[in-house]
């Protein structure tokens, strides 16, 4: 069996923008359980941009995969947070062999003003991004592929 292609279905790559907490909650749900090497995070201070290339589980395809009895999928995606003034880390080793699993993204701040975007990773790691305003984008950048584990992430709910 070959990898899946967006062209094979009625779907298109995701391209989402969040400029409020409600929109961020949608993006957070879609990147939950994404995995990435710690070295795939970049802060461009001069552009006030923090970017992460991650491999996200395609939650939006889970029900269809189960219904059609086909493998679950992952996709390479770019998560970008703009208007970043400062970045703080806790419990994250930025080494080539460190793999992170993203659990949640949250925003604490004014609706149309400054605040903090917090990315929480498994194992007590976290990033705190001080932002001038909430401006987050998620864009799928590769074709989907079969999830290597063959299983959907499960948190024992």
């Amino acid at each position: 069996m070959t990898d899946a292609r967006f062209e094979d279905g009625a779907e298109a790559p995701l391209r989402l923008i969040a400029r409020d907490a409600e929109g961020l909650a949608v993006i957070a749900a879609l990147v939950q359980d994404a995995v990435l090497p710690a070295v795939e995070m970049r802060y461009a201070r001069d552009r006030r941009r923090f970017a992460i290339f991650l491999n996200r589980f395609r939650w939006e395809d889970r029900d269809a995969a189960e219904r059609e009895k086909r493998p679950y999928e992952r996709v390479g995606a770019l998560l970008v947070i703009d208007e970043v003034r400062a970045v703080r880390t806790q419990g994250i080793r930025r080494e080539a062999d460190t793999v992170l699993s993203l659990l949640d993204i949250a925003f604490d701040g004014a609706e149309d003003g400054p605040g903090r975007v917090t990315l929480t990773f498994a194992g007590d790691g976290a990033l705190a991004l001080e932002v001038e305003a909430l401006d987050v984008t998620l864009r799928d950048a590769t074709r989907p592929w079969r999830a290597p584990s063959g299983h959907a992430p499960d948190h024992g709910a």
Side-chain angles (χ1 to χ4, degrees):
M1 178 178 262
T2 61
D3 283 344
R5 300 179 318 146
F6 281 113
E7 297 83 14
D8 292 339
E11 301 164 61
L14 288 183
R15 293 181 185 186
L16 303 173
I17 298 172
R19 294 207 172 107
D20 59 27
E22 185 177 326
L24 185 61
V26 172
I27 289 177
L30 290 166
V31 298
Q32 181 181 21
D33 298 305
V35 293
L36 62 137
V39 295
E40 290 292 339
M41 299 186 288
R42 298 280 186 275
Y43 178 40
R45 186 182 316 269
D46 58 328
R47 297 183 68 198
R48 296 171 30 143
R49 173 174 283 175
F50 191 86
I52 302 173
F53 188 77
L54 46 81
N55 299 316
R56 71 175 190 84
F57 183 82
R58 292 191 64 224
W59 289 106
E60 72 277 15
D61 185 61
R62 180 183 180 180
D63 291 342
E66 290 173 354
R67 190 172 48 254
E68 298 166 15
K69 297 187 184 343
R70 61 176 168 75
Y72 297 116
E73 297 174 344
R74 285 193 173 265
V75 65
L78 189 60
L79 179 69
V80 177
I81 298 105
D82 282 306
E83 302 300 328
V84 177
R85 298 185 298 188
V87 176
R88 288 186 216 124
T89 65
Q90 172 186 320
I92 295 176
R93 292 184 10 241
R94 297 230 355 159
E95 298 171 5
D97 64 340
T98 301
V99 176
L100 302 172
S101 178
L102 183 59
L103 298 179
D104 192 24
I105 305 174
F107 178 69
D108 182 30
E111 186 172 322
D112 288 330
R116 176 181 296 146
V117 175
T118 303
L119 292 88
T120 305
F121 296 92
D124 296 326
L127 286 171
L129 309 174
E130 299 297 329
V131 296
E132 187 67 33
L134 188 60
D135 188 355
V136 178
T137 59
L138 174 65
R139 181 175 58 88
D140 288 346
T142 69
R143 292 190 320 217
W145 65 85
R146 184 183 316 185
S149 72
H151 302 286
D154 182 12
H155 298 276

